[in-house]
């Protein structure tokens, strides 16, 4: 294929282009109180880089904007081509994401992005024939698709604020665009007030030519809720609140997923459930509940003990000061989860399990917890008589 049939694209942040730009939250240096670990773990964990990162008090949290691009093309979840540049939702860390997505297209792992990896000169290329099949959107579109399109937790972070912006400023937008291939996603959108007539179902393998495309952008993804997130979160909590519900203790389980062979299964969860029931915990699997039930359940909870995962993202609906004990298989996602708990002003602590060394997976391995030790610290946590292990 000769060069006249290719367009060259420079990977960029997108901020050098003319856009309708609104700063929602600027970069901010914060001090996050290090999480309280309620159990002992190996010296190798304490000496790891991941542990040092988690315990660091000072950190910079992400910048957040609302931006509109005129006459651009949309590929994949949120990759935008305009004036010879390609960029995505994340303007500080998006370069690596573009590189990975292009390599996945080249290798055949994904058909979404449709650009070829950068060669000498540092520019990506796209075959012009793909443009000929672009879907034309000659109206004002708000993009709500998450960068993890079927991950419930990232839906809360990306889609909920997008819906809120779309509905609050309905006169500025004609259609809401979102990838919603799962039934639960459509149900949530309808429940929030997005009728089918206002929705464009985002096909991630198509290219769209957009006359006007608006989306929330961020410097990077750290799961820290900046001030601009909370109006949307409070709007959802208020919309679905149940005034007559009493507070309760809940344990967020992943048992059904584990039994179905999902990754990161807690091997002794059934035994743990039998024990934690003795402390009057209600056992819940959020994915088996409706969205409204999940919002209400977490909004009224007094104490939450849960296995790290998407279901624990519902803690964004908790009241400030709610007690949250996050049980994790390792350190991989813990720093981001602590950002979320801290930014929501929750009274949180962490209990670490141990991965199964015989699991062949490189990450997301099966794991277990010490039941006796865990129950002792949970009972103290509930009664607010916590020790602070070093």
């Amino acid at each position: 294929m000769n060069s006249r049939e290719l367009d060259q694209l420079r990977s960029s942040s997108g901020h050098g282009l003319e856009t309708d730009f609104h700063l929602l939250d600027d970069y901010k240096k914060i001090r996050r109180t290090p999480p309280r670990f309620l159990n002992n773990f190996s010296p190798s964990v304490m000496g790891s880089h991941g542990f040092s990162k988690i315990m660091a008090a000072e950190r910079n949290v992400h910048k957040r904007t609302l931006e509109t691009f005129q006459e651009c093309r949309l590929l994949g979840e949120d990759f935008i081509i305009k004036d010879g540049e390609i960029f995505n939702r994340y303007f500080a860390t998006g370069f690596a994401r573009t590189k990975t997505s292009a390599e996945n297209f080249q290798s055949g792992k994904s058909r979404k992005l449709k650009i070829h990896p950068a060669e000498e000169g540092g520019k990506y290329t796209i075959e012009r024939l793909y443009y000929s099949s672009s879907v034309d959107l000659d109206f004002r579109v708000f993009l709500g698709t998450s960068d993890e399109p079927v991950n419930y937790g990232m839906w809360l972070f990306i889609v909920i604020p997008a819906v809120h912006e779309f509905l609050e400023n309905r006169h500025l937008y004609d259609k809401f665009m979102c990838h919603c291939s799962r039934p639960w996603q459509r149900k949530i959108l309808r429940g929030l007030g997005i009728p089918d007539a206002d929705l464009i179902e985002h096909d991630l393998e198509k290219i769209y030519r957009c006359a006007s495309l608006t989306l929330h952008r961020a410097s990077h993804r750290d799961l820290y809720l900046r001030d601009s997130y909370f109006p949307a979160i409070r709007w959802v909590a208020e919309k679905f609140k149940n005034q007559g519900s009493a507070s309760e203790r809940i344990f967020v389980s992943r048992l059904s997923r584990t039994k179905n062979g999902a990754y990161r299964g807690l091997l002794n969860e059934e035994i743990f459930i039998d024990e934690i029931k003795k402390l009057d915990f209600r056992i819940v699997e959020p994915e088996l509940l409706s969205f409204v039930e999940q919002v209400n359940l977490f909004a009224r909870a007094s104490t939450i003990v849960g296995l790290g995962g998407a279901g624990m993202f519902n803690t964004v609906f908790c009241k400030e000061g709610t007690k949250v004990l996050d049980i994790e298989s390792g350190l991989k996602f813990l720093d981001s989860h602590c950002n979320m708990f801290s930014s929501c002003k929750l009274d949180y602590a962490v209990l670490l399990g141990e991965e199964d060394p015989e699991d062949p997976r490189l990450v997301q391995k099966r794991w277990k917890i010490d039941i006796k030790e865990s129950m002792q610290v949970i009972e103290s946590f509930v009664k607010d008589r916590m020790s602070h292990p070093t």
Side-chain angles (χ1 to χ4, degrees):
M1 179 172 290
N2 61 56
S3 60
R4 289 176 299 176
E5 295 174 298
L6 297 173
D7 272 349
Q8 291 191 331
L9 304 169
R10 184 173 68 89
S11 181
S12 81
S13 68
H15 278 173
L17 302 170
E18 184 177 348
T19 67
D20 183 6
F21 176 97
H22 298 278
L23 176 63
L24 301 178
D25 302 286
D26 206 347
Y27 288 111
K28 184 177 181 181
K29 179 173 285 188
I30 66 165
R31 286 189 61 84
R32 190 191 79 188
T33 302
R36 296 168 294 181
F37 286 89
L38 303 188
N39 64 328
N40 298 311
F41 36 82
S42 68
S44 63
V45 170
M46 295 184 67
S48 68
H49 170 73
F51 187 77
S52 298
K53 179 182 178 182
I54 291 165
M55 299 305 289
E58 289 194 356
R59 54 193 57 229
N60 292 310
V61 292
H62 69 272
K63 177 179 179 179
R64 188 166 183 255
T65 62
L66 179 69
E67 301 182 45
T68 299
F69 297 89
Q70 309 292 341
E71 291 300 331
C72 62
R73 296 185 190 270
L74 172 68
L75 298 81
E77 298 89 354
D78 51 36
F79 292 87
I80 297 170
I81 294 177
K82 181 173 172 61
D83 297 344
E85 299 188 4
I86 183 164
F87 46 93
N88 56 61
R89 185 179 298 279
Y90 301 104
F91 46 84
T93 58
F95 300 91
R97 208 174 142 231
T98 299
K99 179 176 184 293
T100 299
S101 296
E103 290 171 347
N104 287 342
F105 174 69
Q106 182 86 342
S107 66
K109 291 181 180 179
S110 171
R111 298 296 300 171
K112 291 185 293 188
L113 193 54
K114 295 180 172 58
I115 68 169
H116 298 284
E119 299 178 354
E120 188 175 353
K123 291 189 176 181
Y124 295 86
T125 55
I126 184 168
E127 298 170 29
R128 291 180 183 171
L129 64 88
Y130 290 124
Y131 289 157
S132 64
S133 60
S134 294
V135 178
D136 291 332
L137 303 179
D138 290 313
F139 36 80
R140 301 168 300 175
V141 175
F142 196 99
L143 179 64
T145 298
S146 167
D147 51 308
E148 291 187 51
V150 296
N151 181 296
Y152 174 79
M154 291 313 300
W155 250 65
L156 297 184
F157 267 79
I158 302 296
V159 183
I160 299 299
V163 170
H164 184 253
E165 166 63 24
F166 179 80
L167 295 177
E168 284 289 297
N169 296 287
R170 189 67 182 80
H171 61 289
L172 298 179
Y173 313 111
D174 299 309
K175 297 286 185 178
F176 185 81
M177 186 176 192
C178 189
H179 181 74
C180 45
S181 59
R182 306 288 175 85
W184 61 265
Q185 296 172 314
R186 293 298 295 270
K187 289 180 181 178
I188 291 176
L189 289 177
R190 291 184 186 122
L192 292 173
I194 302 289
D196 290 350
D198 289 343
L199 178 67
I200 300 173
E201 292 193 45
H202 187 180
D203 185 334
L204 301 180
E205 295 194 3
K206 290 183 178 179
I207 296 179
Y208 297 86
R209 184 195 64 79
C210 304
S212 174
L213 183 70
T214 303
L215 73 161
H216 288 123
R217 301 187 70 204
S219 56
H220 58 285
R221 193 174 99 173
D222 56 19
L223 301 190
Y224 192 93
L225 275 77
R226 301 302 309 276
D227 291 345
S228 64
Y229 285 95
F230 286 103
I233 297 300
R234 292 170 185 144
W235 166 67
V236 171
E238 182 68 21
K239 185 179 181 68
F240 298 128
K241 71 178 180 180
N242 185 338
Q243 296 281 10
S245 300
S247 63
E248 58 184 326
R249 301 172 181 174
I250 63 172
F251 170 64
V252 181
S253 168
R254 288 170 51 92
L255 188 58
S256 293
R257 291 180 59 80
T258 298
K259 287 184 174 180
N260 289 331
Y263 57 84
R264 210 169 68 245
L266 178 60
L267 294 172
N268 52 353
E269 184 176 353
E270 288 184 279
I271 300 172
F272 179 68
I273 286 174
D274 288 340
E275 292 300 314
I276 201 168
K277 282 180 178 178
K278 298 175 184 177
L279 297 180
D280 296 323
F281 275 81
R282 174 183 171 186
I283 313 303
V284 299
E285 296 186 60
E287 65 266 33
L288 303 181
L289 303 175
S290 72
F291 180 62
V292 174
E293 289 172 324
Q294 292 181 65
V295 172
N296 268 312
L297 183 66
F298 280 77
R300 71 174 184 257
S302 60
T303 304
I304 296 168
V305 174
L307 307 183
M312 287 291 281
F313 279 59
N314 283 305
T315 53
V316 299
F317 301 117
C318 289
K319 300 182 294 292
E320 290 187 10
T322 300
K323 299 177 70 64
V324 174
L325 176 57
D326 182 33
I327 305 179
E328 297 271 354
S329 60
L331 302 180
K332 183 174 178 60
F333 304 107
L334 182 54
D335 190 57
S336 293
H337 293 171
C338 290
N339 276 342
M340 178 173 64
F341 302 140
S342 176
S343 60
C344 292
K345 298 181 173 59
L346 304 177
D347 179 9
Y348 75 99
V350 177
L351 193 151
L352 279 182
E354 182 179 355
E355 292 186 330
D356 179 2
E358 296 184 4
D359 190 327
R361 297 181 182 93
L362 295 177
V363 294
Q364 311 267 36
K365 294 176 180 285
R366 299 184 299 263
W367 58 298
K368 61 182 179 180
I369 56 175
D370 183 316
I371 300 293
K372 183 177 179 180
E373 178 190 41
S374 298
M375 292 311 303
Q376 288 174 345
V377 298
I378 290 171
E379 186 168 5
S380 295
F381 181 72
V382 169
K383 294 178 179 179
D384 205 23
R385 294 199 306 269
M386 294 182 297
S387 59
H388 295 265
T390 59

